[in-house]
Amino acid sequence: MITAFIKRKERKTPTVETIYFEWDSGILPGQFVMIWVPGVGEIPMSISHIGREKAFTVKNYGPTSAAIQALSPGDRIFFRGPYGRPFQTVSGRILLIGGGSGMASLHPLINNSSFGLVAARSKEEILFADEFTDENLIITTDDGSEGIKGNVIEGLKKIDLKKFDMIYACGPEVMLYNAYLYFRKIGVNAQLSLERTMKCGIGICDSCSIGGFQLCRDGPVFFMNELEEMQEFGNFKLTYSGKRVKI
Amino acid sequence: MKDSSLKTEIASLKLENPHILASGILDENGYTMKKILEEGAAAVVTKSIGMDERNGYQAPVIADAPAGLINAIGLANPGIESFGDEIAIAKGSNRPVIGSIFASTVEEFANLAIRMQKYRVDAIELNLSCPHVKGFGSEVGSDPDLVEQIVNELKLKVPVPIFAKLTPNVTNILDIAKAAHKADALVLINTVRAIRIDIHARMPVLSNIYGGLSGPAIKPIGLRAVYDVYRETGFNIIGVGGIETHEDAVEYIMAGARAVQIGTALMTKGRKIFGELNSNLLQFMEREGYSSIDDMVGIGVVK
């Protein structure tokens, strides 16, 4: 188990915080760690800031993430990793599509010319939109409180996808599946970072598997051609017990 | 030398090679099992399935250890009712699927075995050895009388081969092995009961405190169990514990195993390990002049 100390915290939305910590390690965009709160639990966490200063950006959605947000600067954090296959970076113009806290794993890819399609439930939950210039940003919200009302596809329709050298997307699986179908229709390549129930993080427990691939080890980033052969993508997943359920 | 030299048999179960995926590793989702079979495993053993759905333990469910891994998944499983689809998907590979079951009574074991057989599994493995769940696994498997009753009842109730997976966490594994003598094969060994403490958190790492140690750290323990049981009884044995290379597999086979299971090595080597073991074992046999797996079984045992 690796230990580090929290340096500072930034509240990003009513439910999301960025937590900065000191860790002298090479980590690549899209990789994650398994973060442990002793006595509470352990969850996967993508690293949102990978420069000299590291940070993760955590949404409060359960007991362990709530316990992480309750920590203060100076407190110790416990984690193992980094794990997972990172995003493959390309030179040229990139489009980043993030749904909700999915923006966190895309954050390391943001550069001066990147275009952002930031999707959220409502205005309050929009994450990292302020890191894109106005002309390089489209926002969609489910409730229409900011930007285009509707899901990420409504935003995609406003963008000429063919002018990008690579498209990166992260968010809920339903959103990613719809985006995947849209990319396929338009005929563009993309890298999608998926999320599923994860226990071991090292490719042996089978909890996060999708179509025979272990998301924690073969992914979480997958290319379009890999997603094509995964019968379960956007379709079925296993619960914490291993029970097959429709997505 | 032909690939057919790698064939082996355990009771009526015919295997293309001696390398089987061990229970508990990458065997909850049918698509994963199918992929592993297509990548060279001779058979897969499913995750242990019980009567009812169980979430198992909250993470952390694994902790690292020198030359190994400690896990306490806690027998997470969807329940026998919901597992048929996964077996059907895995069987799309046309290779054998071995259904692992756990229970605390003879009746439940019999119920589960009958259901597994209806799902068309090729053999049934009895989990008499999980070291970290109260009332199941090694708590059942440490009682020779109970083990004997369970195995005998299942041999009466189901025609498919019955394998008994035993625990090393007993004073004398031979006593348990002899109690399970009606099984078609013994699977030796399950993980070794273990813990880790995080010195900064000042508490055990695993949410369940106790877990099972696997990986190269336990290979000599597994070998000793296989050796002792084979020498004393000559039973069919499937060896498991710390196998990462074809040399490890050969060591188990020479100690008396007719096949081996691979688990924790999936962490270090990935799914491709099965293809590598098959080709490396074939080359070894060619170099050393063995024409079949059978030629090697038990030859390292001093009579």
Side-chain angles (χ1 to χ4, degrees):
Chain A
M1 200 69 71
I2 303 162
T3 58
F5 291 97
I6 294 176
K7 284 166 74 178
R8 61 196 168 89
K9 311 206 303 176
E10 272 171 18
R11 180 145 292 279
K12 291 293 181 185
T13 81
T15 60
V16 175
E17 263 185 4
T18 295
I19 298 176
Y20 294 86
F21 61 102
E22 290 169 35
W23 182 29
D24 184 19
S25 162
I27 180 160
L28 298 164
Q31 288 192 303
F32 67 96
V33 297
M34 296 295 290
I35 184 159
W36 176 44
V37 183
V40 183
E42 186 187 51
I43 53 174
M45 183 71 62
S46 53
I47 300 296
S48 57
H49 297 65
I50 63 167
R52 278 195 54 184
E53 192 173 51
K54 307 287 190 298
F56 53 86
T57 297
V58 55
K59 184 183 171 81
N60 184 344
Y61 69 92
T64 306
S65 54
I68 292 167
Q69 287 200 356
L71 296 171
S72 306
D75 283 348
R76 205 169 222 153
I77 54 169
F78 300 79
F79 56 95
R80 53 194 175 88
Y83 295 129
R85 181 172 68 163
F87 287 114
Q88 197 178 95
T89 51
V90 298
S91 57
R93 192 99 203 277
I94 60 170
L95 169 63
L96 304 177
I97 305 165
S101 56
M103 272 309 295
S105 75
L106 297 172
H107 185 268
L109 296 168
I110 297 176
N111 61 36
N112 295 334
S113 67
S114 53
F115 193 104
L117 170 52
V118 181
R121 284 217 179 91
S122 66
K123 185 179 178 171
E124 296 73 39
E125 290 301 328
I126 295 167
L127 188 61
F128 294 135
D130 54 348
E131 304 209 14
F132 297 94
T133 56
D134 286 350
E135 63 275 18
N136 281 339
L137 175 67
I138 289 179
I139 290 172
T140 68
T141 52
D142 294 347
D143 64 2
S145 53
E146 175 98 31
I148 300 167
K149 181 175 178 2
N151 63 24
V152 78
I153 303 298
E154 299 308 312
L156 280 172
K157 286 178 186 164
K158 308 274 187 212
I159 302 170
D160 177 8
L161 298 182
K162 299 220 159 153
K163 57 176 208 205
F164 294 98
D165 295 289
M166 184 53 74
I167 299 170
Y168 300 92
C170 183
E173 191 160 326
V174 173
M175 172 200 122
L176 290 179
Y177 186 63
N178 286 320
Y180 157 83
L181 293 176
Y182 187 80
F183 298 153
R184 213 168 59 170
K185 196 173 87 184
I186 305 288
V188 289
N189 197 7
Q191 298 177 39
L192 283 70
S193 178
L194 275 54
E195 188 180 316
R196 290 208 154 191
T197 301
M198 204 179 276
K199 290 184 186 175
C200 78
I202 53 173
I204 56 170
C205 81
D206 212 19
S207 291
C208 69
S209 291
I210 172 164
F213 292 90
Q214 282 66 64
L215 191 142
C216 65
R217 183 171 172 139
D218 300 315
V221 175
F222 292 104
F223 285 87
M224 292 290 287
N225 61 327
E226 295 168 323
L227 294 166
E228 212 149 295
E229 59 173 291
M230 294 180 188
Q231 310 89 322
E232 292 177 290
F233 175 48
N235 198 7
F236 285 102
K237 64 174 183 179
L238 300 190
T239 63
Y240 202 84
S241 72
K243 188 169 182 170
R244 181 170 293 276
V245 293
K246 193 99 182 83
I247 286 177
Chain B
M1 204 162 165
K2 286 181 301 203
D3 286 358
S4 62
S5 316
L6 290 179
K7 286 187 185 206
T8 184
E9 285 178 27
I10 298 144
S12 60
L13 182 68
K14 292 180 170 45
L15 300 174
E16 287 296 313
N17 65 66
H19 306 122
I20 302 170
L21 177 72
S23 182
I25 305 286
L26 293 180
D27 52 6
E28 177 174 278
N29 186 319
Y31 291 105
T32 312
M33 290 188 272
K34 182 164 179 271
K35 194 170 194 73
I36 284 175
L37 288 164
E38 287 165 354
E39 290 185 12
V44 296
V45 188
T46 69
K47 181 146 280 201
S48 290
I49 304 297
M51 294 296 288
D52 303 308
E53 183 179 7
R54 266 179 73 97
N55 273 327
Y57 302 130
Q58 290 303 310
V61 293
I62 62 154
D64 64 355
L69 180 76
I70 307 175
N71 90 83
I73 300 285
L75 294 173
N77 82 100
I80 189 73
E81 205 71 48
S82 303
F83 202 63
D85 286 350
E86 309 307 323
I87 292 173
I89 294 165
K91 283 190 70 77
S93 62
N94 290 318
R95 285 203 168 183
V97 173
I98 301 165
S100 172
I101 56 177
F102 73 92
S104 45
T105 66
V106 178
E107 292 71 30
E108 280 179 8
F109 266 110
N111 271 332
L112 289 164
I114 290 165
R115 293 299 299 272
M116 276 290 184
Q117 196 209 326
K118 284 186 180 149
Y119 293 150
R120 306 179 63 81
V121 296
D122 299 274
I124 289 167
E125 183 176 286
L126 312 179
N127 180 340
L128 300 167
S129 41
C130 169
H132 53 70
V133 180
K134 197 157 176 46
F136 295 111
S138 59
E139 289 196 13
V140 176
S142 307
D143 177 347
D145 294 336
L146 190 50
V147 166
E148 186 161 12
Q149 287 170 37
I150 292 165
V151 171
N152 293 359
E153 177 74 3
L154 263 58
K155 280 308 295 172
L156 287 175
K157 288 268 166 73
V158 287
V160 298
I162 300 292
F163 303 156
K165 186 168 180 180
L166 304 186
T167 175
N169 303 299
V170 290
T171 309
N172 188 354
I173 199 166
L174 258 173
D175 294 342
I176 313 292
K178 286 175 183 164
H181 67 276
K182 285 196 180 162
D184 295 283
L186 303 180
V187 182
L188 307 172
I189 55 174
N190 206 317
T191 55
V192 178
R193 201 164 153 86
I195 67 166
R196 281 298 304 275
I197 287 174
D198 186 284
I199 59 169
H200 297 109
R202 307 168 195 179
M203 63 183 291
V205 174
L206 296 170
S207 67
N208 183 56
I209 304 172
Y210 299 96
L213 176 64
S214 60
I218 68 163
K219 191 184 87 172
I221 302 173
L223 277 169
R224 187 266 298 162
V226 171
Y227 187 99
D228 282 353
V229 173
Y230 180 79
R231 191 181 55 177
E232 187 80 12
T233 68
F235 292 162
N236 287 332
I237 296 170
I238 300 169
V240 51
I243 296 170
E244 287 198 326
T245 66
H246 71 283
E247 286 106 333
D248 298 329
V250 169
E251 216 175 330
Y252 268 98
I253 292 167
M254 289 186 176
R258 306 194 64 81
V260 294
Q261 293 180 356
I262 321 294
T264 307
L266 271 295
M267 167 183 79
T268 44
K269 305 261 175 122
R271 292 184 306 262
K272 67 179 193 312
I273 188 174
F274 287 100
E276 287 173 5
L277 286 171
N278 291 340
S279 59
N280 292 343
L281 179 59
L282 197 62
Q283 284 171 33
F284 171 85
M285 289 167 65
E286 194 162 29
R287 276 199 309 273
E288 299 289 318
Y290 300 105
S291 57
S292 71
I293 298 294
D294 214 35
D295 285 354
M296 297 189 286
V297 174
I299 62 171
V301 175
V302 179
K303 295 288 178 186

